Every structure is written in C-alpha cells, then in structure tokens.
Amino acid sequence: MSQDSDLKVTKVDFLKSQNSVQHHTDAYNTPNLVVRRGQPFLLQLTLSRELRAADKLSLHFSIGERPMEPTGTLMSLNPRSSRNVSGWQIAIVKSNGTECTLSVTSAPNAAVGIYGLMVKTGPNVYKPEKNAVYLLFNPWCEGDIVFLSNEAERKEYVLNDTGYIYVGSSFDIHGKPWNFGQFEESILDACMYLLDKSKLKMSSRRDPVVVSRAMSALVNANDDNGVVLGNWSGKYENGTSPMAWIGSVAILQQYYKTKKPVSFGQCWVFSGVLTTVMRCLGIPARSVSNFNSAHDTDENLRVDVYLNEKGEKLKWMSSDSVWNFHVWNDVWMKRRDLPSGFDGWQAIDATPQEQSQGIFQCGPCPLKAVKDGDVYLPYDSKFVYAEVNADRVYWRVTDENGRKKYTKLGVESQSIGAKISTKAVGQNRREDITWQYKFPEGSSEERASMRRAVSYLQPSEMTPRARFAAVPMANQSDDGKDTTQNEVVPKSGVQVEITNEKPLCPGNPIEVAIIVKSTMAGSWTVDITSSCQLQSYTGKVHANLGYIKQTVKVEGQSEVRVPLKIMPEAYMKELATVDDEEHVHVTAIAEIQGTDEKLTKEVSLSFEYPPIQVQMPETAKVNKDFTCAFIFKNKLNVPLDNCKLMVEGLGIFKMATFDEGDIQPGRIIKSEVICTPTRVGEKKIVARLTSNQVKDISVEKAIMVTH
C-alpha cells in the first residue's frame, strides 16, 4: 500500500468563535473550547488528502483518569456508523478536498468537566494542541435537567456576572453590589478543580442535584479545605474582613492559585461564591436573602429569646438564634430523584451552620417542599423550613431566691422568614420571593403546611438532616405545639411600635421612640421596659447601650411616645472595636397593669453613611483607555480611621486597593484608576470603602462599552 493513501489529520480547528457564540460561552476567558451539553458544535479537520469511503475516521472524547466506554467516560465516535455511543452523536457536515467539517453533539446528560480529544485515522492518532474541551450544563437544552425555558431568566441566572446581595434588616434592606465574575480568568479552571476535588464519580457529575450539593460543601473550608474560611469573631487581622470583598473573583483566583482556603467569609460571601460556581458550570443560580432567619438547632420550630429585667437579650442563654438576614442560594433543576411536582428552584447553602450526613453542606431542597411542609424530602428540608417558619418565643429571666424564674412574655409567629429577597430578572432592583417559600402568614394554607411539617419533625432530638423519613410522627397536639402557634391579640387593644426619629449616623445620638397605642375605649396603665443593644447581624450582642423603664397611661384611641436617647460616646468606641457591620437593636416590653397581657417588640436599625461618588464617561470603546475617579467626603462628625478603598470592574480593570489612612470630618479623598475595557456590553464598576468605624460603604456604576 502506498504511503500517500495513508490518511492523516494535520490540524483540528475548534472553530471557537463560532461555537462559543452558539453555546453562550463566548465570555469565558480561556483559550480552549467551552461548549454546553446536548447541543451540536462544529470541528474542522484538515487531512493529508481527500476523505474516501473506505477510510476509517473516529473521534475519541475522554474524561477522568481511566476513561472506558462502558462507564461512559470514553466516547469513540465514528461519523459513518449509526451506532450511537451513550447518547453522543456525530455527523459529517461537509467534506471539501482536504477539509472536513464534523458536527458533534454530546449527550444532554453527559458528565460535566474537561474532555480530551484525539482523532484516529486507521493506525494514526492525532492529538491537537489545546485538545481540552470544557463541557458544561445547558439551560438552553430541553433534554438537560437544568433546562430553563425563559431567555430573560437564562440571561440573569446563568450569564449575568454582576448583581446584588441583599443585607441589613427587614426594617432597612440594602443591596450590596457583588461581582460574580464567572467568566474571568481562571474561574472556570477553579470550578473544574472543585469538581475534581469533590471526588464525585463521573456518573454523578451528570446530575446537577449531586453536583450542587457537593459544591455547597466545597465552597466552605470546614471539611475539605474548601474555598472560604468562615469567621464571625469580629477579628480579621490575618485575612480579609468579610465586609471588604467586592465579589467572588479575587477569592476564587487566590484559592485556585494556592489551593488553600481564603480568609474570611460570612454568609453573603459563601452565597456570592456559590452563585459564581453554579453559573460558571451552567446551573441557573441566584443569591437569596432571608430576613429574620431562624437558626433552629434542635428542629422544634421554635427559637427561644431570653431577656433580663431591663429587656436586654441575654447572650449566653440560647443555642438557637435569629439572624437579621441570612444569605443562601437557589438553583434551578428538575428533581428526577423525587416524586413529581418538586422541579424548579431548590435551596442550597454553603454557609457552615449544621452538618448534614456528617458534612457541612445543605440542599438541594425544593422550595415547593418548604412551602407545602413536606419536610421529609431530601435534602435538609427541615432545616430550611425552620429558617423561614419558626416561631419566636420570648422569656423573661429573673432571679428569685437564687433560682432562675422564666416568665413567658409572648410568641411571635409571623416575624421569622420575612421579605425573602433576590435581584430581579434584568433589573437592578430587589424582588420579593417570600411567596415562593411560604403561603401568606396566617392563611389557612400556611397553617395546614405548618401542621404537616410538625407531623414529620422528630420530637426534640437531633436526627441526621438528610434522612428520608416518609412516615409522619403520631399526632402531637398534646405537646402544646399547636397552642403556641397562634399569636395572642391583646384584649385591651394596646399596641407597641418602635420608630427612629432621625436617621442613624455614626457620631450622632441614637434617638428612637417607643410608641404605646390604644385602639379601643378604656384606660390602661402600661409598664414599659426598653433596651438598646449593639449587635451583629447574626444576633450576637456586642454591647448594652442603655435602657429605660417607664409607666405610661393610655386612654381611648390615643398614643404616648416614650423617647430613648443614646449619646455617641456610649457606642462609638464599641463600633471601632469590632470589624463587623453593627446594627442597633431595640427591644420593648409592655406589661398592662391589671391584666396578664405582655407585649414584646424588637427592631434592628442600620447606620447611614455618606456616599462614594464615581466620575467616568457614560460610554467607552474596547481597548481604549479612560479614567475613572472615586470621590468620598466624610460628612460624619467623627474621623474614619484606617480607611481602605477597594475597586473592581469586570472586563475593565483588575481589583485594586487604595490605603486612604484616616479621613477627618469634612475631608475629601479622590482616587483614580486607568481603565481598559476588554469586552463589549454594559459593564459595572464597583467600589467599597471600609474603616474602623464604618465597615461598608459601597457604590456601583455602569458604563456601556462598544466597538
């Protein structure tokens, strides 16, 4: 046989620009081809001669350490045989002289990861340069279980690389700009590294349920040297304060480079990084904030709050807690592992709170299971259910003859799980998605869901959260659970409210008012106890700032205002001693004389800060420099010590940090960055200022980049 008849491949063109536009992967910053499963992509082969009918030609795609056909980790695709290998397909689209274009379609349930490609022509094997092909989940493909039919939602939940994470308190919600940055340099490789690190079997990498659960464990560092190390101590000297991060990019890049956990994170950081990882792998994801989030350690759907005589929360009494907000994630997928009806959004959570199957991981848990009270379904639905549905029970603890006496002050059944929030699709505003997690408070559906959930909960003993216990407990109405569910409406018609008279600015007095209202005829004497505490968003008390005790009289339909004023010297020192964003927490107890009625009310207020101004053009051109200036004036009447300004613009400039030192009252600082846009479209620039006194002033501004 003559040499010239021996067919060889001399080149493979991955047609990257054409394929990546079709696959919505053109934004990934990588030299390799990135495609989504279940969707055709083209390869162009250059051959040593024209392809003949008798020639043997096959493409070999392999993944993992020991690729084999029976395990679906090696695909030998022959364009001339109709044999379909594990759902993959190949066809010759056109053959013209020495050029041959092939169309390859991976299976819509193929394992996600990095595939190597080799081309065989008879005895010859050709391994192209950059032969790694990245295969991702595909929300555009109906056969993929992460399929999402709405294009605007796919743009938001898969392709949007910036967004907001909602923080603060239910009385005062603000959006923290966050750069997810799933397309930035080495982020895709970091996610592929996490997939390998998860030690999932290749067959498990087909399933977004298993992959998202594994990633909820790997984004925290608790069990497996994962990405982010949690720290709620208020002391962050040997790392970055959780308040200071602008987004996930610097975190994932550092992790991929060092392979060591990055210091430090709290819930919004874990959630932001998990959104990045999920979107990067092609699973639709969103960061979700739950306000007044219960952390119910013993699964009794009750969080006990203990107060002393001054109405101050006792720090040492309870392992249960209520966080002002807690941020987790929802991911979109079908649940073929469950009975029908539980497809759609699933909650997952990377913040290490409680172990599940022996590891700090949580979810995916169907939102529908939470809404309907089907808390026997995997994974961790009891825990998520309690986060949004527990009751808050208030107790007063007094000392009587050396023994502690507990007086029940009341039950709040409607405050936990409020204003559940995520960024709206295609808009820079908050969307309230509470209705996706629960029926309206007090509605008959909500009560039925609660009864159903309670019937599945094990009485007061911890059980593994991922157990699939499909047998409801015997009816437990005798344990008083149902009786505490209903909030008591006072017969006297007396109500209590707490308002702040003026915005809270560091360096100014804190002025709040306790308002006692009477809504019915009659005259009542009310004993008011109110306290003011400085606490973190996790409910941890840092300082008692002051309290009042007063007796007031209300008659008919009237109201009385009781002022509570805290001078700046009582709290400014405390603000500078912790590195956390502090909230002012006010609790009021009203006891109505001559009755056994007791009312409790609490609010969490946030400080307000002067803004950062951003000066830059409205539009810019690719690869043409422009200047962006950040200007900040300290309008507070206290100096801000040890100020740092962090700025980042995805596709415009890398993250930069400016040390601004101490900024005296009235002083203006200005920092400039030279920007070079590398991608077209609307891009956002984010800046964040931190100091000893003020932990987080952030701003973002958009610019349109054109060719």
Side-chain angles (χ1 to χ4, degrees), residues 178-181 187 246-253 269 272-274 276 648:
W178 192 268
N179 284 338
F180 298 115
I187 301 301
I246 293 182
S248 316
V249 178
I251 296 172
L252 282 162
Q253 284 173 341
V269 182
V273 172
L274 191 51
T276 302
E648 183 178 53

PDB file of all heavy atoms in Angstrom, residues 178-181 187 246-253 269 272-274 276 648:
ATOM      1  N   TRP A 178     -22.344  43.018  44.047  1.00  0.00           N
ATOM      2  CA  TRP A 178     -21.425  41.870  44.108  1.00  0.00           C
ATOM      3  C   TRP A 178     -21.051  41.464  42.687  1.00  0.00           C
ATOM      4  O   TRP A 178     -21.916  41.299  41.837  1.00  0.00           O
ATOM      5  CB  TRP A 178     -22.080  40.688  44.837  1.00  0.00           C
ATOM      6  CG  TRP A 178     -21.097  39.608  45.176  1.00  0.00           C
ATOM      7  CD1 TRP A 178     -20.782  38.498  44.422  1.00  0.00           C
ATOM      8  CD2 TRP A 178     -20.269  39.529  46.341  1.00  0.00           C
ATOM      9  NE1 TRP A 178     -19.819  37.752  45.057  1.00  0.00           N
ATOM     10  CE2 TRP A 178     -19.476  38.363  46.242  1.00  0.00           C
ATOM     11  CE3 TRP A 178     -20.103  40.349  47.459  1.00  0.00           C
ATOM     12  CZ2 TRP A 178     -18.551  37.988  47.213  1.00  0.00           C
ATOM     13  CZ3 TRP A 178     -19.190  39.970  48.440  1.00  0.00           C
ATOM     14  CH2 TRP A 178     -18.422  38.801  48.304  1.00  0.00           C
ATOM     15  N   ASN A 179     -19.751  41.321  42.456  1.00  0.00           N
ATOM     16  CA  ASN A 179     -19.276  40.829  41.156  1.00  0.00           C
ATOM     17  C   ASN A 179     -19.144  39.317  41.213  1.00  0.00           C
ATOM     18  O   ASN A 179     -18.284  38.800  41.916  1.00  0.00           O
ATOM     19  CB  ASN A 179     -17.907  41.445  40.834  1.00  0.00           C
ATOM     20  CG  ASN A 179     -18.037  42.890  40.382  1.00  0.00           C
ATOM     21  OD1 ASN A 179     -19.099  43.315  39.928  1.00  0.00           O
ATOM     22  ND2 ASN A 179     -16.964  43.649  40.499  1.00  0.00           N
ATOM     23  N   PHE A 180     -20.012  38.614  40.479  1.00  0.00           N
ATOM     24  CA  PHE A 180     -19.909  37.150  40.455  1.00  0.00           C
ATOM     25  C   PHE A 180     -18.717  36.733  39.586  1.00  0.00           C
ATOM     26  O   PHE A 180     -17.950  35.858  39.963  1.00  0.00           O
ATOM     27  CB  PHE A 180     -21.213  36.532  39.952  1.00  0.00           C
ATOM     28  CG  PHE A 180     -22.376  36.848  40.854  1.00  0.00           C
ATOM     29  CD1 PHE A 180     -23.441  37.631  40.416  1.00  0.00           C
ATOM     30  CD2 PHE A 180     -22.395  36.394  42.175  1.00  0.00           C
ATOM     31  CE1 PHE A 180     -24.500  37.939  41.267  1.00  0.00           C
ATOM     32  CE2 PHE A 180     -23.451  36.692  43.025  1.00  0.00           C
ATOM     33  CZ  PHE A 180     -24.500  37.466  42.566  1.00  0.00           C
ATOM     34  N   GLY A 181     -18.565  37.372  38.418  1.00  0.00           N
ATOM     35  CA  GLY A 181     -17.341  37.203  37.636  1.00  0.00           C
ATOM     36  C   GLY A 181     -17.053  35.789  37.166  1.00  0.00           C
ATOM     37  O   GLY A 181     -15.900  35.372  37.102  1.00  0.00           O
ATOM     38  N   ILE A 187     -11.368  31.346  36.522  1.00  0.00           N
ATOM     39  CA  ILE A 187     -12.531  30.975  37.350  1.00  0.00           C
ATOM     40  C   ILE A 187     -13.094  29.617  36.895  1.00  0.00           C
ATOM     41  O   ILE A 187     -13.413  28.756  37.711  1.00  0.00           O
ATOM     42  CB  ILE A 187     -13.634  32.068  37.303  1.00  0.00           C
ATOM     43  CG1 ILE A 187     -13.098  33.411  37.807  1.00  0.00           C
ATOM     44  CG2 ILE A 187     -14.857  31.630  38.113  1.00  0.00           C
ATOM     45  CD1 ILE A 187     -12.558  33.437  39.216  1.00  0.00           C
ATOM     46  N   ILE A 246     -15.462  42.562  47.254  1.00  0.00           N
ATOM     47  CA  ILE A 246     -16.334  43.195  46.263  1.00  0.00           C
ATOM     48  C   ILE A 246     -17.043  42.131  45.445  1.00  0.00           C
ATOM     49  O   ILE A 246     -18.055  42.367  44.818  1.00  0.00           O
ATOM     50  CB  ILE A 246     -15.481  44.073  45.327  1.00  0.00           C
ATOM     51  CG1 ILE A 246     -14.904  45.238  46.117  1.00  0.00           C
ATOM     52  CG2 ILE A 246     -16.275  44.595  44.161  1.00  0.00           C
ATOM     53  CD1 ILE A 246     -14.089  46.167  45.278  1.00  0.00           C
ATOM     54  N   GLY A 247     -16.472  40.930  45.442  1.00  0.00           N
ATOM     55  CA  GLY A 247     -17.050  39.864  44.633  1.00  0.00           C
ATOM     56  C   GLY A 247     -16.269  38.583  44.809  1.00  0.00           C
ATOM     57  O   GLY A 247     -15.410  38.468  45.683  1.00  0.00           O
ATOM     58  N   SER A 248     -16.577  37.614  43.944  1.00  0.00           N
ATOM     59  CA  SER A 248     -16.017  36.262  44.087  1.00  0.00           C
ATOM     60  C   SER A 248     -14.685  36.073  43.373  1.00  0.00           C
ATOM     61  O   SER A 248     -13.986  35.098  43.620  1.00  0.00           O
ATOM     62  CB  SER A 248     -16.996  35.237  43.494  1.00  0.00           C
ATOM     63  OG  SER A 248     -18.317  35.491  43.869  1.00  0.00           O
ATOM     64  N   VAL A 249     -14.346  36.982  42.439  1.00  0.00           N
ATOM     65  CA  VAL A 249     -13.221  36.728  41.532  1.00  0.00           C
ATOM     66  C   VAL A 249     -11.901  36.589  42.284  1.00  0.00           C
ATOM     67  O   VAL A 249     -11.189  35.593  42.144  1.00  0.00           O
ATOM     68  CB  VAL A 249     -13.128  37.844  40.460  1.00  0.00           C
ATOM     69  CG1 VAL A 249     -11.936  37.600  39.542  1.00  0.00           C
ATOM     70  CG2 VAL A 249     -14.419  37.878  39.645  1.00  0.00           C
ATOM     71  N   ALA A 250     -11.574  37.598  43.113  1.00  0.00           N
ATOM     72  CA  ALA A 250     -10.296  37.564  43.837  1.00  0.00           C
ATOM     73  C   ALA A 250     -10.232  36.324  44.736  1.00  0.00           C
ATOM     74  O   ALA A 250      -9.179  35.705  44.895  1.00  0.00           O
ATOM     75  CB  ALA A 250     -10.141  38.835  44.669  1.00  0.00           C
ATOM     76  N   ILE A 251     -11.386  35.931  45.299  1.00  0.00           N
ATOM     77  CA  ILE A 251     -11.429  34.782  46.209  1.00  0.00           C
ATOM     78  C   ILE A 251     -11.111  33.489  45.447  1.00  0.00           C
ATOM     79  O   ILE A 251     -10.239  32.712  45.841  1.00  0.00           O
ATOM     80  CB  ILE A 251     -12.821  34.683  46.877  1.00  0.00           C
ATOM     81  CG1 ILE A 251     -13.074  35.906  47.757  1.00  0.00           C
ATOM     82  CG2 ILE A 251     -12.953  33.387  47.682  1.00  0.00           C
ATOM     83  CD1 ILE A 251     -14.489  36.015  48.313  1.00  0.00           C
ATOM     84  N   LEU A 252     -11.815  33.262  44.339  1.00  0.00           N
ATOM     85  CA  LEU A 252     -11.614  32.014  43.590  1.00  0.00           C
ATOM     86  C   LEU A 252     -10.244  31.963  42.912  1.00  0.00           C
ATOM     87  O   LEU A 252      -9.616  30.913  42.834  1.00  0.00           O
ATOM     88  CB  LEU A 252     -12.735  31.819  42.566  1.00  0.00           C
ATOM     89  CG  LEU A 252     -14.052  31.308  43.172  1.00  0.00           C
ATOM     90  CD1 LEU A 252     -15.220  31.553  42.230  1.00  0.00           C
ATOM     91  CD2 LEU A 252     -13.980  29.821  43.533  1.00  0.00           C
ATOM     92  N   GLN A 253      -9.762  33.130  42.453  1.00  0.00           N
ATOM     93  CA  GLN A 253      -8.432  33.152  41.832  1.00  0.00           C
ATOM     94  C   GLN A 253      -7.363  32.806  42.867  1.00  0.00           C
ATOM     95  O   GLN A 253      -6.456  32.010  42.603  1.00  0.00           O
ATOM     96  CB  GLN A 253      -8.147  34.524  41.205  1.00  0.00           C
ATOM     97  CG  GLN A 253      -8.890  34.722  39.879  1.00  0.00           C
ATOM     98  CD  GLN A 253      -8.756  36.127  39.320  1.00  0.00           C
ATOM     99  OE1 GLN A 253      -8.422  37.070  40.041  1.00  0.00           O
ATOM    100  NE2 GLN A 253      -9.043  36.287  38.040  1.00  0.00           N
ATOM    101  N   VAL A 269     -20.748  36.113  51.536  1.00  0.00           N
ATOM    102  CA  VAL A 269     -19.560  35.727  50.772  1.00  0.00           C
ATOM    103  C   VAL A 269     -19.712  34.284  50.276  1.00  0.00           C
ATOM    104  O   VAL A 269     -19.476  33.990  49.104  1.00  0.00           O
ATOM    105  CB  VAL A 269     -18.282  35.874  51.633  1.00  0.00           C
ATOM    106  CG1 VAL A 269     -17.046  35.513  50.810  1.00  0.00           C
ATOM    107  CG2 VAL A 269     -18.161  37.296  52.192  1.00  0.00           C
ATOM    108  N   GLY A 272     -22.296  34.399  47.496  1.00  0.00           N
ATOM    109  CA  GLY A 272     -21.783  35.027  46.279  1.00  0.00           C
ATOM    110  C   GLY A 272     -20.869  34.080  45.520  1.00  0.00           C
ATOM    111  O   GLY A 272     -20.967  33.935  44.295  1.00  0.00           O
ATOM    112  N   VAL A 273     -19.968  33.398  46.250  1.00  0.00           N
ATOM    113  CA  VAL A 273     -19.030  32.465  45.605  1.00  0.00           C
ATOM    114  C   VAL A 273     -19.796  31.270  45.020  1.00  0.00           C
ATOM    115  O   VAL A 273     -19.511  30.809  43.913  1.00  0.00           O
ATOM    116  CB  VAL A 273     -17.941  32.001  46.602  1.00  0.00           C
ATOM    117  CG1 VAL A 273     -17.092  30.883  46.004  1.00  0.00           C
ATOM    118  CG2 VAL A 273     -17.054  33.179  47.000  1.00  0.00           C
ATOM    119  N   LEU A 274     -20.817  30.786  45.748  1.00  0.00           N
ATOM    120  CA  LEU A 274     -21.585  29.635  45.251  1.00  0.00           C
ATOM    121  C   LEU A 274     -22.382  30.008  43.992  1.00  0.00           C
ATOM    122  O   LEU A 274     -22.490  29.208  43.056  1.00  0.00           O
ATOM    123  CB  LEU A 274     -22.506  29.101  46.351  1.00  0.00           C
ATOM    124  CG  LEU A 274     -23.183  27.747  46.095  1.00  0.00           C
ATOM    125  CD1 LEU A 274     -22.194  26.674  45.677  1.00  0.00           C
ATOM    126  CD2 LEU A 274     -23.964  27.286  47.331  1.00  0.00           C
ATOM    127  N   THR A 276     -21.400  32.165  41.787  1.00  0.00           N
ATOM    128  CA  THR A 276     -20.368  32.177  40.739  1.00  0.00           C
ATOM    129  C   THR A 276     -20.094  30.764  40.232  1.00  0.00           C
ATOM    130  O   THR A 276     -20.073  30.513  39.026  1.00  0.00           O
ATOM    131  CB  THR A 276     -19.060  32.784  41.288  1.00  0.00           C
ATOM    132  OG1 THR A 276     -19.332  34.110  41.757  1.00  0.00           O
ATOM    133  CG2 THR A 276     -17.986  32.838  40.223  1.00  0.00           C
ATOM    134  N   GLU A 648     -13.234  47.481  41.622  1.00  0.00           N
ATOM    135  CA  GLU A 648     -13.108  46.416  40.630  1.00  0.00           C
ATOM    136  C   GLU A 648     -14.079  46.683  39.490  1.00  0.00           C
ATOM    137  O   GLU A 648     -15.192  47.148  39.716  1.00  0.00           O
ATOM    138  CB  GLU A 648     -13.433  45.054  41.270  1.00  0.00           C
ATOM    139  CG  GLU A 648     -13.259  43.865  40.347  1.00  0.00           C
ATOM    140  CD  GLU A 648     -13.540  42.532  41.048  1.00  0.00           C
ATOM    141  OE1 GLU A 648     -14.617  42.381  41.650  1.00  0.00           O
ATOM    142  OE2 GLU A 648     -12.682  41.642  40.976  1.00  0.00           O
TER     143      GLU A 648
END
